[in-house]
Amino acid sequence: MSPVAGEAARTRPAPPSASPGARPALGDAQPRQEAPPDLRLIPPALAAWAAAAVALRVSGPVAAIGIAVCGLAGLALFAAGTGGRHRRRSRPAAGESRAPRAPTGAGVHRAGLIGVAVALLCAAAAGTSAALHAADVRRGPLPDLAKSYAHTQVEITVTGDPRATRSQVRGARASAGVIVIPAEVVRLPAPGAGSARGADGAEEGTWARLRTPVLLMVVLDNGESGTGDESRAAVRKRAEWLRLLPSTGLRVNARLAPPADDRPGGRDIAAVLRVSARAPHVVRRPTTTQRVAGELRAGLRAACEGLGADARGLLPGLVVGDTSRLRPELEDAFRATDMTHLTAVSGANLSILLVLLIGPPGLAHRAERGGLAPRLGLSLRGTAVVGALLTLAFVVVCRPEPSVLRAAACGLITIAAIGTGRRRSLLPALAAAVLLLVFYDPWLARDFGFLLSVLATASLLLVAPRWCEALRRRGWPPRIAEALAAAAAAQAACAPVVAVLAAHVSLVAVPCNLLAEFAVAPATVLGFTALAAAPLAMPAAKGLAWLASWPVEAIAGIARTGAELPGAEIGWPGSWAGALGLAAVLGGLLMVAARLRLPHRPWLCAGCALVLLVAVTRPAPLVRPFTGWPPTGWRMVACDVGQGDALALAVDGERGGSGGAVVVDAGPDPEAVDRCLRDLGVTSVPLVVLTHFHADHVAGLPGLLRGRSVGAIQTTGRAEPAGQAGFVRRAARQAGVPVVPSAVGERRRAGDLSWEVLWPPADAGTGADTGGPFGGGTGGEGEGANDASVTLLVRTRGLTLFLPGDLEPAAQQGLLALHPDLPRADVLKVAHHGSRFQDPALLGRLRPRVALVSAGRDNPYGHPAPETLRSLSEAGALVARTDQHGALALTRRPDGTPAVAAQRGTLGRTASVESEPRARPPPHGAPSPVARRPSPVARRPSPVAG
């Protein structure tokens, strides 16, 4: 929401009457006497929206039939509604004034018929536009080529900004991600044509011209397996792709693929083009307009170079929607607090600039208006012209994409509310904007951003003024009442749609947005001023950017603080059924609040605020009786981080997470491990042990380091994969945390914890593959890194835990040979996520009471393997799995045996292990109870790392 959006709700004092006691005309700045809102354009707008959305999804013949039915029905109803209006009306006598008549039943009937007719005609027109746009996607040879996954050379025109996606963890490795570029294919080689070549080497006269929307995906190379020069070349190529401007012409060799049917917003593209990360082959430079816009945006980025990381990435996003340098953790914080609208170009940006021009609300049309316009000597007409030019410049700088055009239209509507104060004219204006935009670009009818924009604008114009007036009547300061009403109204309107997109409901969205509103205006104004000054005087632009960094850092701090609260967000079904359920819940709460006259009962308001505060902060002593999580006295927790490992070992078992924890591995997802540690209350981590550098164990390190005091990071000596090892070093360096190697035989203690490093030996850490049990297995990088996993034997208050990382059978046998006196373990963290490659001799020696398996639900590797689970059960172990039971907490019963508490799943609230006497483990080399019978667990090293 714009910080001035609430101004649309502000009512102006009534002007002096023409005579004492004269009653103001209906709607003359008297909010209680305003005429009813004009709703005549609402049905046509909604009908056009729905028709466009349907026509984009159905086939051409079905769309044509629907268009014909709507058009013919609309014409028939229009004719029926206007048929009786030709009758002459009696003229009034001379000097007699005609008094307004109340509408008759026939008049109301005719008006209803005409309204329905107009809605049907608008639906037919929007459906026609949508059907033509959908035909552009389906026609031509490209869709058929995509269905056959053909490989061909095409010429494309870039239509949007390139955006880099986040790297994805695929088992052991983290991909470098892809660059996504909206584009149009404009030329395609014609089949069966000649092969004459021009000066540039391209075939002349063999190209078919077309205009088909596609999505270009540039598959990046992270350069892990190359030399330093190759890695730098990969970074350079990535930068070249990201610097491409809209309207640039490219020629690419691509493999085509059909788009996914479940793409958000519908299938607005004909194909997906996958290309390698070679340097782009530019055949046509961008237009002058796009070059100017690109230079302005680049100037703003240059002005932000000397700022902090948050301000450097957030200020361009706040001003022109450039989020290319926004840090992932800050982006996640904005998503958790429902503040992502601040980093997207919206009507708020334009509203702030135009209010700076026209001044306070209600004065824009008067001679005594405020703002910069009168100070510059601009007349009312000149002010309108300057405002139009400012809007045009805004669209140019922020790129004339549909989302920017939508933002400009909605921003002008908000400014109309601020300038005129006539709320009764706003709904027709909003409906007209929806009609025009849907006619212009029917794909907006299936665009979530467009839906959110319309909902937010409508709520600010209709709901926020009433809520603001109610708060002001209760004595709230006007500015705070406006901001609170705007934030609450927009959140209530948009929350169901956000739930569909993000599958969550943010409990801190309203307070976070409310606090951020007061910093958005100065940051936006200073940012746009720096944008304009950068081409003329870079030192001045840097100074302005530095001034803007103060409110920008405040916004980032609000987002981070809100996102770090344990109850910042709750999960919600990410479907339209979930959206309807949330809308029903919100509607019920509003009805209850109105029924109880909540604003008039301060103590009841305070009680509701206290309940919300408890739900957001979730103090463990208060919420544990309701949730059972985390259990009191937990010793170790296997976090539910998906396909990966992250273990938290309590330093002080009596205090739980508040006493700190040693963390073993960080999992593949920063958000998952951060959420787990926040739920446990862990803010101090004396040591992080990263067993090996596979991505499913280290990619979540930034989330682990976020907002916590970390003493050191201990790693294996084998730095493979090299890219992930470098990632760990960079993350540690940015956080100021030292990285130290592990050594066999090393013993440490922290509070109740004591542990010993059992593996790997020195020669395994060097990367030498000897082929024996102390080497790298088969010599492959995946097996070598797994076999170099740091293995710990942990003791905590009488419990013994064995944590082997991802050791493969060869290394497990080597560890058993290195430690023939290995004691029995109460708890085993099963190696390699429960893969079928386990050593039965090691399992027979450990004979754990509890076996914890950390694996992701529906993972592609089949972890945990049924053979491993069967062997563990036959050995007498209680098996608990994170993919089925969520996070798993280990506790100690009074009799000294381990117990497991599960966050969810069939394990139940608490599962314990009976403490029956167990036979002593056999000497090393003797047949164990598991080894006496044929074991289904394989001994070969796994061919799949991760």
Side-chain angles (χ1 to χ4, degrees):
M1 282 85 54
S2 163
V4 298
E7 301 290 354
R10 181 174 291 174
T11 56
R12 292 179 281 124
S17 302
S19 60
R23 184 176 180 180
L26 204 63
D28 272 351
Q30 292 287 340
R32 293 178 180 273
Q33 298 181 4
E34 283 193 352
D38 188 351
L39 304 178
R40 287 175 295 179
L41 276 180
I42 302 299
L46 294 178
W49 195 339
V54 172
L56 290 171
R57 294 293 292 176
V58 299
S59 63
V62 174
I65 293 173
I67 293 169
V69 170
C70 288
L72 293 176
L75 291 174
L77 291 176
F78 188 82
T82 58
R85 302 186 67 179
H86 66 278
R87 291 177 299 178
R88 296 182 59 186
R89 300 178 181 178
S90 60
R91 295 183 179 181
E96 180 183 353
S97 62
R98 175 180 292 171
R101 299 180 180 179
T104 63
V108 172
H109 177 69
R110 284 195 301 270
L113 290 178
I114 293 174
V116 175
V118 171
L120 289 173
L121 292 175
C122 288
T128 302
S129 177
L132 292 176
H133 279 75
D136 285 339
V137 174
R138 291 191 287 259
R139 72 162 59 100
L142 210 61
D144 291 334
L145 291 174
K147 291 178 182 177
S148 61
Y149 295 89
H151 189 282
T152 184
Q153 185 183 63
V154 295
E155 188 173 310
I156 65 172
T157 297
V158 177
T159 59
D161 286 318
R163 297 186 181 275
T165 65
R166 297 189 190 182
S167 62
Q168 299 292 323
V169 175
R170 304 288 184 185
R173 291 189 173 275
S175 67
V178 298
I179 295 177
V180 179
I181 307 176
E184 282 185 348
V185 173
V186 295
R187 297 179 71 195
L188 183 71
S195 58
R197 295 184 179 272
D200 61 351
E203 295 184 358
E204 296 292 342
T206 63
W207 294 82
R209 294 189 177 274
L210 61 159
R211 188 180 175 184
T212 306
V214 296
L215 189 67
L216 184 67
M217 299 182 65
V218 184
V219 182
L220 298 175
D221 179 14
N222 54 21
E224 284 185 2
S225 58
T227 63
D229 291 339
E230 291 173 341
S231 298
R232 285 188 292 271
V235 173
R236 185 170 59 253
K237 293 173 184 177
R238 181 179 188 272
E240 290 178 4
W241 283 103
L242 290 174
R243 281 197 299 265
L244 292 176
L245 297 175
S247 74
T248 302
L250 302 175
R251 186 168 292 161
V252 297
N253 290 302
R255 181 169 296 279
L256 279 61
D261 291 331
D262 56 351
R263 289 189 71 249
R267 293 181 56 176
D268 54 349
I269 59 174
V272 175
L273 276 60
R274 296 180 64 89
V275 301
S276 60
R278 300 175 182 174
H281 179 200
V282 178
V283 297
R284 187 174 56 258
R285 297 185 63 196
T287 62
T288 302
T289 300
Q290 292 296 345
R291 286 201 301 270
V292 171
E295 290 170 0
L296 288 173
R297 292 161 70 99
L300 179 60
R301 288 194 296 268
C304 297
E305 282 298 338
L307 306 179
D310 284 348
R312 186 168 61 249
L314 182 55
L315 183 57
L318 190 66
V319 175
V320 293
D322 182 1
T323 58
S324 58
R325 297 193 298 186
L326 193 64
R327 302 173 72 179
E329 58 269 22
L330 183 58
E331 187 177 0
D332 292 334
F334 272 81
R335 187 176 295 108
T337 55
D338 281 357
M339 294 171 61
T340 52
H341 60 94
L342 296 179
T343 60
V345 178
S346 66
N349 306 62
L350 184 59
S351 300
I352 294 171
L353 295 180
L354 292 182
V355 167
L356 185 66
L357 175 68
I358 68 175
L363 299 179
H365 62 292
R366 301 184 184 181
E368 63 272 19
R369 67 193 187 280
L372 296 177
R375 291 171 174 78
L376 297 175
L378 297 177
S379 63
L380 289 176
R381 185 171 298 175
T383 302
V385 172
V386 172
L389 293 176
L390 184 62
T391 303
L392 178 62
F394 172 81
V395 173
V396 169
V397 172
C398 299
R399 308 288 165 79
E401 299 176 352
S403 61
V404 178
L405 296 176
R406 179 193 68 239
C410 293
L412 288 174
I413 293 171
T414 305
I415 292 304
I418 295 173
T420 65
R422 296 174 61 195
R423 293 196 300 272
R424 65 182 181 181
S425 65
L426 297 179
L427 269 182
L430 179 60
V434 169
L435 275 173
L436 292 176
L437 290 174
V438 169
F439 288 156
Y440 171 76
D441 185 3
W443 290 107
L444 289 175
R446 300 188 64 85
D447 186 84
F448 282 105
F450 182 70
L451 176 60
L452 289 171
S453 178
V454 173
L455 287 175
T457 304
S459 66
L460 294 177
L461 300 178
L462 293 178
V463 181
R466 291 173 172 81
W467 290 2
C468 173
E469 185 63 25
L471 293 175
R472 292 178 66 180
R473 285 198 301 267
R474 298 301 302 166
W476 286 66
R479 185 68 184 92
I480 296 179
E482 291 162 2
L484 178 59
Q491 181 64 23
C494 297
V497 181
V498 173
V500 175
L501 291 172
H504 84 276
V505 175
S506 176
L507 300 182
V508 298
V510 172
C512 286
N513 279 281
L514 177 63
L515 294 174
E517 289 301 322
F518 298 97
V520 170
T524 302
V525 172
L526 289 170
F528 270 108
T529 309
L531 176 81
L536 306 175
M538 183 55 71
K542 287 182 176 291
L544 292 167
W546 178 80
L547 291 175
S549 68
W550 290 80
V552 169
E553 293 282 2
I555 295 171
I558 291 169
R560 290 185 185 278
T561 302
E564 288 173 358
L565 294 173
E569 53 183 332
I570 58 176
W572 197 268
S575 62
W576 287 112
L580 291 176
L582 180 58
V585 170
L586 292 175
L589 291 176
L590 291 175
M591 291 178 61
V592 171
R595 183 77 174 176
L596 296 178
R597 297 175 58 85
L598 198 60
H600 301 274
R601 300 186 178 185
W603 289 106
L604 190 56
C605 288
C608 293
L610 182 61
V611 171
L612 179 62
L613 181 64
V614 171
V616 168
T617 57
R618 293 185 184 178
L622 294 181
V623 302
R624 186 179 290 121
F626 301 97
T627 65
W629 189 265
T632 304
W634 63 270
R635 306 294 175 178
M636 184 184 78
V637 169
C639 295
D640 182 12
V641 294
Q643 182 66 12
D645 278 2
L647 309 173
L649 300 162
V651 171
D652 186 343
E654 299 302 325
R655 297 174 57 194
S658 61
V662 172
V663 180
V664 180
D665 287 328
D669 182 9
E671 290 306 306
V673 67
D674 181 37
R675 180 171 57 250
C676 176
L677 296 179
R678 275 193 283 118
D679 290 344
L680 298 176
V682 175
T683 58
S684 175
V685 181
L687 182 67
V688 176
V689 179
L690 299 179
T691 59
H692 59 299
F693 290 109
H694 279 168
D696 54 345
H697 292 252
V698 303
L701 183 60
L704 189 157
L705 299 173
R706 188 182 306 160
R708 294 179 180 86
S709 173
V710 179
I713 298 175
Q714 188 175 49
T715 67
T716 181
R718 184 161 187 153
E720 293 180 357
Q724 291 304 305
F727 163 78
V728 169
R729 289 192 293 269
R730 289 192 300 272
R733 184 168 58 250
Q734 292 175 1
V737 179
V739 179
V740 297
S742 62
V744 170
E746 175 185 355
R747 290 181 172 86
R748 291 197 182 194
R749 173 176 289 276
D752 296 340
L753 283 176
S754 64
W755 64 93
E756 178 184 357
V757 178
L758 303 180
W759 190 267
D763 55 353
T766 63
D769 291 327
T770 64
F774 296 88
T778 63
E781 183 179 288
E783 290 83 357
N786 282 341
D787 285 350
S789 295
V790 177
T791 302
L792 303 178
L793 186 67
V794 181
R795 292 180 174 86
T796 171
R797 290 289 184 92
L799 294 178
T800 302
L801 289 65
F802 186 76
L803 313 179
D806 277 359
L807 289 186
E808 302 286 352
Q812 294 177 21
Q813 295 166 13
L815 183 147
L816 198 56
L818 187 64
H819 301 278
D821 56 346
L822 187 68
R824 186 193 66 194
D826 295 295
V827 179
L828 167 66
K829 198 286 298 184
V830 183
H832 204 169
H833 321 296
S835 123
R836 65 189 182 95
F837 300 105
Q838 309 287 336
D839 181 52
L842 179 62
L843 180 60
R845 171 54 58 92
L846 295 173
R847 292 186 302 124
R849 291 187 172 94
V850 173
L852 304 181
V853 181
S854 181
R857 183 181 299 182
D858 299 326
N859 65 83
Y861 309 104
H863 295 163
E867 307 97 303
T868 300
L869 297 177
R870 186 163 53 250
S871 295
L872 290 169
S873 298
E874 290 174 354
L878 168 73
V879 180
R881 304 162 49 176
T882 59
D883 60 331
Q884 291 184 349
H885 311 127
L888 304 169
L890 177 72
T891 60
R892 181 176 181 271
R893 291 161 55 91
D895 59 2
T897 57
V900 180
Q903 215 171 9
R904 58 176 169 80
T906 57
L907 189 64
R909 180 72 65 183
T910 303
S912 59
V913 182
E914 297 299 332
S915 56
E916 63 250 1
R918 310 183 75 176
R920 297 180 59 186
H924 180 58
S928 67
V930 177
R932 288 193 188 104
R933 56 182 177 270
S935 173
V937 181
R939 296 174 178 266
R940 295 186 297 103
S942 169
V944 179

